[in-house]
Amino acid sequence: MIVALYARVSTTKQAEKDLSIPDQLNQMHEWCKRNGNTVAMEYVEKGASATDDKRAVFQDMISDSCISPSPYEAIIVHSLSRFFRDSLEFGIYERRLNKKNVKLISITQQTSDDPSGEMARKIFSIFDEYQSKENGKHTLRAMKENARRGFFNGSKALYGYKLIEVEEKGNKGKKKKLVIDTVEAEIVRNIFNMYINQGNITGIKSIVSDFNKKNILRRGKKWSTTHIYEMINNRAYIGEYYFNKKNHKTGRKKPESEWVKVDIEPIIDEETFIIAQKIRKSRSPLSAMPPRIINGPTLLTGFLKCGLCGSSMTIATGQSGKYRYYKCTNKIKHGIKECSSKNIPMKKLDKLILDSLSEKIFTPERVESILRSLKEKRKSLKLSYDEKLNQLNKELAEINNKSERLLEAVENGFLPMDGSLRDRAQKLKARREDILIQIAGIRREKEVPISKIGMKTIREFCEVLKERLKDGASSFGKGYLRLLVDEIRVKRTEILVKGRISALAGALMPKKVGTARPSVPTLVYAWLPGTDSNCRPSG
């Protein structure tokens, strides 16, 4: 089996001290060797709770595993608690993996695949959840007591303040307190004064623009409207800072009886804060905005790209939603200076794409030619399954190391997070995804016997597909578009459509087009790499 390993510890302190993670990985590698499994990838979560799914590495692993077909046949964990400590979420994610034929295996809590094994896994999960809640209850009680005594529980200070460590008699270690940062506090006062004293001339956007032009940074980064808005609404700046206001999982406010006030020195007076709130409410445009109802998902969002700058295209509306267009997101954010692409009427482009796919691309002759080229490419492959997999795994490890080094350089202040660095990080991410797709493709190649697909099947497929792509009253058009197409780029009078050969081959395997399809199957070969697909009429 090709497997992925997942190791996790709950806190960054554990990760920094190398507690548990090396031991988890060593034991899992030994287990895989004994059972003849090939480790394709390691996912290591350094300091994240398993009580929810807000874990970047965990989500990467799930996303990678759910590529169709999956690059892995199983995910290996040391214990089921490493995967999840919530029984409901555990079941949801395990079912999601099962749908992709990916097993979840614990090397210390092995269970069978029969009903008794399923029951045992649920019992393990319930006990893990109970233990986590008990630990959380005791931890929260200690943190609330810490806050009552005026100490800070977080790791990052609110802007305008800084953290200092103080020793407390009778306790080991040090406690943290919030104190005013004189430089940042002066910026906070300036923001409130600018917002209040210049009437309607200076709004939040004007403050952001003024600060960024003068290179007045927010802890090394540029300001945004969100930063200013949150600051103006934060009562902590008048000394009313509370711990335990929100549920960290749901984000919902808790009853005020559960809040714990932490004594901190105010930066502005209460009168200034109240005036700022009145001005904010008077400027709010929400009451004047008409309601907009968006009926159903749009056809091309998700894989429609701007041919000029490469950014995604999204829906833009006119006259309160009466008119709908596809518009470049880069142009929306930065204006015509960054991208000069034109808005495209949604209905016009939707119809053009579906008509072109059915009349020019998915014709029997073209489909037969596409499959023939795939067959020839398969014959030309000289590397064995294991050799190719090893090559891909080595490149994947190199890309992961490069990405980590880039992040460390940025975090340590050796490199600025500028446009070129973002582009580099994006290229590494794109190549990583491509490698995972190739790993999945190696498995899928044996699952799709192209030689069994005859011309009669191709003709029937194209006829039914043409009928369904043009059926505007159903969701078949969008369903088959997402199944067969990866990307659509619009560049002035030209439209370039790209897809994957294996997706097309996989769609042809069932006897009828109406039977169940795999969800977005992908492989490494682009079936439409040229620019000869179709052209959009000018105007």
Side-chain angles (χ1 to χ4, degrees), residues 106-126:
S106 165
I107 64 171
T108 59
Q109 297 169 309
Q110 296 182 44
T111 58
S112 59
D113 293 329
D114 57 16
S116 63
E118 183 179 351
M119 182 180 69
R121 292 166 76 85
K122 288 180 178 179
I123 291 173
F124 287 142
S125 181
I126 290 171

Side-chain angles (χ1 to χ4, degrees), residues 360-373:
K360 298 181 180 181
I361 297 176
F362 294 119
T363 63
E365 294 75 18
R366 186 159 190 145
V367 170
E368 195 273 337
S369 175
I370 291 168
L371 294 178
R372 187 170 59 249
S373 68

Side-chain angles (χ1 to χ4, degrees), residues 295-354:
N295 296 318
T298 52
L299 178 67
L300 302 179
T301 50
F303 43 55
L304 187 64
K305 304 287 184 181
C306 173
L308 294 182
C309 68
S311 299
S312 298
M313 298 186 76
T314 188
I315 288 295
T317 60
Q319 294 190 13
S320 300
K322 183 178 180 181
Y323 300 106
R324 307 185 77 188
Y325 307 88
Y326 289 112
K327 187 173 183 179
C328 174
T329 54
N330 191 24
K331 184 177 181 180
I332 292 173
K333 291 179 180 178
H334 305 292
I336 197 170
K337 290 183 179 180
E338 292 292 329
C339 183
S340 60
S341 61
K342 294 182 178 180
N343 297 351
I344 307 171
M346 187 187 75
K347 289 184 179 180
K348 180 180 179 181
L349 187 57
D350 287 356
K351 184 177 185 304
L352 182 61
I353 292 295
L354 293 180

Side-chain angles (χ1 to χ4, degrees), residues 494-505:
E494 183 181 74
I495 298 174
L496 176 65
V497 184
K498 288 187 178 182
R500 304 284 172 175
I501 288 180
S502 64
L504 182 60

Side-chain angles (χ1 to χ4, degrees), residues 179-197:
V179 297
I180 289 179
D181 183 304
T182 54
V183 176
E184 291 185 356
E186 190 59 33
I187 293 175
V188 172
R189 295 186 189 101
N190 286 339
I191 288 173
F192 275 88
N193 290 333
M194 290 173 68
Y195 189 73
I196 290 173
N197 296 329

Side-chain angles (χ1 to χ4, degrees), residues 37 47 93 118 188 267 318 348 351 376-377 400 404 415 454:
N37 297 321
Y93 277 93
E118 183 179 351
V188 172
I267 292 177
K348 180 180 179 181
K351 184 177 185 304
E376 291 172 356
K377 285 180 179 179
N400 289 335
E404 281 193 24
L415 287 175

Side-chain angles (χ1 to χ4, degrees), residues 78-343:
H78 182 267
S79 63
L80 297 177
S81 65
R82 299 299 90 192
F83 185 77
F84 240 109
R85 283 185 178 270
D86 182 291
S87 57
L88 177 61
E89 294 285 350
F90 181 97
I92 292 173
Y93 277 93
E94 186 179 34
R95 282 194 293 271
R96 186 174 169 186
L97 292 173
N98 287 339
K99 286 181 180 179
K100 300 297 179 180
N101 295 319
V102 179
K103 296 181 179 180
L104 177 64
I105 300 174
S106 165
I107 64 171
T108 59
Q109 297 169 309
Q110 296 182 44
T111 58
S112 59
D113 293 329
D114 57 16
S116 63
E118 183 179 351
M119 182 180 69
R121 292 166 76 85
K122 288 180 178 179
I123 291 173
F124 287 142
S125 181
I126 290 171
F127 271 105
D128 287 336
E129 181 179 1
Y130 169 77
Q131 184 183 28
S132 176
K133 287 182 177 179
E134 282 295 301
N135 291 339
K137 183 173 67 177
H138 296 310
T139 301
L140 179 60
R141 185 174 63 240
M143 292 174 75
K144 288 171 75 173
E145 179 59 28
N146 199 49
R148 289 189 190 97
R149 298 165 67 179
F151 299 115
F152 183 72
N153 287 307
S155 59
K156 189 176 181 180
L158 176 70
Y159 188 84
Y161 295 86
K162 62 182 178 181
L163 292 174
I164 61 168
E165 291 185 341
V166 295
E167 292 185 358
E168 189 183 28
K169 294 180 180 180
N171 288 309
K172 294 182 179 180
K174 296 181 179 180
K175 301 286 187 178
K176 293 180 290 186
K177 275 198 170 186
L178 282 175
V179 297
I180 289 179
D181 183 304
T182 54
V183 176
E184 291 185 356
E186 190 59 33
I187 293 175
V188 172
R189 295 186 189 101
N190 286 339
I191 288 173
F192 275 88
N193 290 333
M194 290 173 68
Y195 189 73
I196 290 173
N197 296 329
Q198 298 186 36
N200 290 324
I201 297 175
T202 304
I204 290 177
K205 289 184 179 179
S206 299
I207 296 172
V208 171
S209 178
D210 183 62
F211 275 30
N212 291 337
K213 283 181 180 178
K214 293 178 180 178
N215 203 32
I216 301 174
L217 302 180
R218 182 182 181 274
R219 294 180 178 172
K221 298 179 180 179
K222 289 188 175 183
W223 289 84
S224 71
T225 54
T226 302
H227 295 145
I228 305 296
Y229 183 84
E230 290 177 349
M231 181 180 292
I232 290 172
N233 286 279
N234 197 335
R235 299 185 67 88
Y237 292 110
I238 58 174
E240 294 182 14
Y241 179 79
Y242 291 91
F243 171 72
N244 200 42
K245 283 183 67 174
K246 293 182 179 180
N247 185 302
H248 72 281
K249 285 187 178 180
T250 64
R252 295 179 181 176
K253 277 191 175 183
K254 294 183 178 182
E256 288 193 28
S257 58
E258 295 184 30
W259 299 3
V260 179
K261 187 176 180 181
V262 182
D263 291 328
I264 62 173
E265 188 178 354
I267 292 177
I268 62 169
D269 57 76
E270 189 171 1
E271 182 181 357
T272 300
F273 183 83
I274 293 173
I275 294 172
Q277 294 305 298
K278 288 182 179 179
I279 293 173
R280 181 189 60 81
K281 290 178 181 179
S282 68
R283 292 177 181 174
S284 175
L286 295 177
S287 58
M289 289 179 62
R292 295 184 179 182
I293 301 173
I294 301 174
N295 296 318
T298 52
L299 178 67
L300 302 179
T301 50
F303 43 55
L304 187 64
K305 304 287 184 181
C306 173
L308 294 182
C309 68
S311 299
S312 298
M313 298 186 76
T314 188
I315 288 295
T317 60
Q319 294 190 13
S320 300
K322 183 178 180 181
Y323 300 106
R324 307 185 77 188
Y325 307 88
Y326 289 112
K327 187 173 183 179
C328 174
T329 54
N330 191 24
K331 184 177 181 180
I332 292 173
K333 291 179 180 178
H334 305 292
I336 197 170
K337 290 183 179 180
E338 292 292 329
C339 183
S340 60
S341 61
K342 294 182 178 180
N343 297 351

